[in-house]
Amino acid sequence: EAITIQELANRMAERAVDVIKLLMKQGQMLKINDVIDADTAELIASEMGHTVKRVSESDVEEGLFSAADADDALESRPPVVTIMGHVDHGKTSLLDALRRSNVVQGEAGGITQHIGAYQVEQGGHKITFIDTPGHAAFTQMRARGAKATDIVILVVAADDGVMPQTKEAIAHAKAAGVPIIVAINKIDKPSADPSRVRTDLLREDIVVESMGGDVIDVEVSALKRLNLDKLLEMILLQSEVLELKANPSRTAEGIVIEAQLDKGRGPVATVLVQKGTLKVGDILVAGSEWGRVRAMLDENGQQVKEAPPSKPVEVLGFNGTPAAGDMVAVVENEARAREIVDYRQRQKRDKASVLASGARGSLEQMMNRLQQSGHKEFPLVIKGDVQGSVEAIAGALDQLGTDEVKARILHAGVGGITESDVTLATASNAPIIGFNVRANKQARDAAEREGIEIRYYNIIYNLVDDVKAAMSGLLSPER
Ligand code: GDP
């Protein structure tokens, strides 16, 4: 096993230049990206006063997310709620109304800020709301294997009833196994017909209590602020049933809700703590970034020193900008953080080059051709279930392009993947992407024969993310 000088230095939390100097003393002239073997690395490490422990790749993440907590360490925690529903049914209005009426009072003078989540208080109990309505964020989290939501509030406008995105939201909540509370909104409107909403929902297998089911529904008006307290009470009731608990007395784990690079403050990430308590000074990893918590701010712009389970805080101190949906874990020291992040960045690169070799055994060919032609294009064939999704995918992939590399969509069509799609793909060594569609037997056989990769997706975000990774593989091919 070999390691670059940079990586060795990172793992020891030493400067690469010191490693190079030491190697020089031993008669080796090497540069920062040169590779040294494990024995040399071990020698260097012990000369620099480090204890050497060789780890296999898979050990790196071991123990990062620790085992379940003992029952007696668990304490109840606030529920985390996401609001979903059809466009214009009042998701944003509801989030705003709830926030304005019940937001946990910070110190005097606190200015409310959008950090991606906020807490309200009802009868002495806290509730955390994810401040991004709609199911895009929800799906994005889930796509990364993270579960950030305990309860979904399904907003349905009483004057409009169940609409396409209402159905989508129901599908997402069900797929995630998250209980739904229905908020029948806009009941102030003369044309409001709440009972129609209930019968509409019946058709989607959402049976509210008054119709003999067990789904809670509340009639509200975000505009006139009717029944908002009742909605909050129902959320608390539901969360009691769920028995939401976490151990606050341990190192923190959580999830990134939002992150961006702020001009003045550097990388800023809103972390929703899920276990343990996050503290200023903690060293944490999030996806393939790490940092030391320099400061934490709540949704009122107030500094906080500690964040217990279900509390969202803006974290300052990351060295790079993590991505929404990244899992966060506190680690014991900087060396450990670097080790994990190095490992993950390596994984990311490997994954990218695996995907770039979509057409097995033809990556070299493709790279050669791309290099010869002077510009890099990433050929793709896309098949989807409906025109709308095919167009959305094509549009999203188009936007990924840079001057250096861009997606070239050979064909984007509606319907299952057929042999003629494979023929088309073979001509350009292009992978085929199926969105909510499958390949028939002839197509599968042909793909197998030609070494064409067929990838299936049902979440656009995953698809785009993977193509992005593959394209960055083209940008910097691994040697
Ligand atoms: P979103 O797209 O689901 O986030 O919906 P918005 O919150 O942006 O609301 C869409 C429109 O419905 C806006 O014009 C709101 O003012 C209006 N609206 C939202 N809630 C209510 C309500 O309870 N009553 C009435 N009459 N209008 C509402």
Side-chain angles (χ1 to χ4, degrees):
E1 215 210 312
I3 187 172
T4 66
I5 289 172
Q6 176 75 74
E7 233 163 72
L8 176 65
N10 285 350
R11 288 196 198 178
M12 298 187 298
E14 299 277 0
R15 297 186 315 159
V17 58
D18 294 331
V19 177
I20 292 173
K21 276 188 196 155
L22 205 63
L23 282 161
M24 216 163 10
K25 273 193 206 149
Q26 300 174 351
Q28 296 202 61
M29 295 292 287
L30 292 170
K31 291 191 293 293
I32 192 158
N33 286 320
D34 287 340
V35 172
I36 53 177
D37 61 33
D39 291 336
T40 314
E42 192 166 334
L43 205 72
I44 295 289
S46 45
E47 291 232 338
M48 295 182 89
H50 294 271
T51 37
V52 179
K53 184 175 142 242
R54 288 198 197 178
V55 288
S56 75
E57 291 283 79
S58 55
D59 287 343
V60 171
E61 302 219 21
E62 188 137 327
L64 184 52
F65 293 100
S66 36
D69 290 287
D71 271 357
D72 57 3
L74 297 175
E75 290 176 22
S76 65
R77 62 166 178 86
V80 180
V81 180
T82 296
I83 296 189
M84 302 207 273
H86 195 70
V87 65
D88 278 346
H89 280 198
K91 299 180 292 294
T92 313
S93 306
L94 193 57
L95 275 165
D96 288 349
L98 291 168
R99 175 175 183 144
R100 263 186 300 157
S101 44
N102 293 67
V103 80
V104 178
Q105 292 304 317
E107 309 281 308
I111 305 156
T112 59
Q113 328 214 342
H114 173 94
I115 64 167
Y118 64 79
Q119 285 191 318
V120 304
E121 212 167 85
Q122 172 74 11
H125 298 281
K126 291 190 171 107
I127 302 172
T128 305
F129 284 92
I130 304 287
D131 201 3
T132 321
H135 50 249
F138 184 82
T139 313
Q140 182 173 338
M141 300 278 169
R142 246 171 52 76
R144 291 167 174 269
K147 191 182 174 211
T149 300
D150 302 307
I151 297 168
V152 162
I153 304 295
L154 181 69
V155 178
V156 189
D159 61 339
D160 206 20
V162 168
M163 297 302 279
Q165 285 167 295
T166 318
K167 293 181 189 175
E168 276 181 46
I170 292 170
H172 286 299
K174 281 189 174 168
V178 177
I180 290 173
I181 294 177
V182 179
I184 302 178
N185 191 30
K186 308 199 186 184
I187 52 156
D188 58 291
K189 282 193 154 187
S191 55
D193 186 358
S195 58
R196 186 187 132 208
V197 172
R198 294 190 186 94
T199 34
D200 274 6
L201 286 169
L202 206 54
R203 246 174 273 133
E204 308 303 320
D205 273 333
I206 301 285
V207 189
V208 300
E209 285 175 330
S210 64
M211 309 209 44
D214 57 4
V215 177
I216 299 171
D217 68 305
V218 187
E219 293 184 13
V220 299
S221 165
L223 197 72
K224 301 267 190 264
R225 303 199 184 195
L226 297 173
N227 284 344
L228 299 186
D229 283 354
K230 193 170 168 209
L231 178 60
L232 294 175
E233 273 158 26
M234 289 303 139
I235 293 169
L236 290 172
L237 192 72
Q238 179 70 262
S239 73
E240 248 170 59
V241 175
L242 294 172
E243 292 188 63
L244 304 169
K245 288 181 172 165
N247 174 5
S249 325
R250 45 163 291 170
T251 52
E253 289 174 18
I255 179 173
V256 175
I257 300 288
E258 268 187 20
Q260 71 268 336
L261 187 60
D262 187 285
K263 264 201 185 126
R265 301 184 296 167
V268 179
T270 297
V271 173
L272 174 67
V273 178
Q274 295 180 304
K275 289 178 175 179
T277 296
L278 187 62
K279 303 186 176 94
V280 170
D282 278 349
I283 293 170
L284 38 71
V285 292
S288 43
E289 303 297 342
W290 73 278
R292 180 191 291 271
V293 181
R294 196 169 73 227
M296 297 193 290
L297 299 164
D298 66 13
E299 65 271 33
N300 299 312
Q302 300 292 328
Q303 297 237 9
V304 293
K305 290 219 153 48
E306 299 197 339
S310 294
K311 185 163 180 75
V313 278
E314 228 181 18
V315 172
L316 276 59
F318 274 102
N319 296 322
T321 313
D326 278 346
M327 305 292 286
V328 177
V330 168
V331 296
E332 56 272 25
N333 55 42
E334 201 174 307
R336 178 90 174 104
R338 285 180 192 276
E339 180 186 35
I340 294 163
V341 164
D342 281 352
Y343 169 68
R344 288 182 176 172
Q345 286 178 350
R346 234 168 18 244
Q347 293 272 71
K348 229 164 137 180
R349 286 197 300 268
D350 291 351
K351 190 175 160 226
S353 55
V354 166
L355 181 61
S357 67
R360 257 165 289 137
S362 61
L363 176 66
E364 286 87 343
Q365 268 167 273
M366 193 157 104
M367 292 300 302
N368 282 345
R369 210 183 48 251
L370 290 172
Q371 263 144 26
Q372 276 158 20
S373 67
H375 58 274
K376 296 175 174 180
E377 283 184 325
F378 189 82
L380 287 170
V381 172
I382 298 166
K383 294 302 286 284
D385 53 346
V386 291
Q387 191 58 32
S389 51
V390 172
E391 272 165 21
I393 292 162
L397 294 181
D398 244 7
Q399 293 202 327
L400 284 183
T402 65
D403 285 343
E404 251 189 289
V405 56
K406 56 172 179 284
R408 183 162 61 94
I409 296 157
L410 301 172
H411 174 59
V414 175
I417 297 162
T418 64
E419 200 174 351
S420 89
D421 295 320
V422 178
T423 312
L424 178 68
T426 307
S428 311
N429 281 337
I432 301 176
I433 286 173
F435 185 77
N436 283 334
V437 296
R438 314 292 297 178
N440 65 22
K441 173 116 181 42
Q442 289 88 336
R444 284 201 304 274
D445 290 347
E448 176 89 56
R449 210 167 46 236
E450 303 291 346
I452 292 296
E453 190 180 22
I454 303 179
R455 298 179 75 95
Y456 300 106
Y457 292 92
N458 48 27
I459 295 170
I460 295 187
Y461 172 82
N462 281 356
L463 190 166
V464 173
D465 210 26
D466 279 0
V467 173
K468 208 190 307 182
M471 291 195 351
S472 50
L474 278 184
L475 279 170
S476 50
E478 283 282 277
R479 282 178 206 276

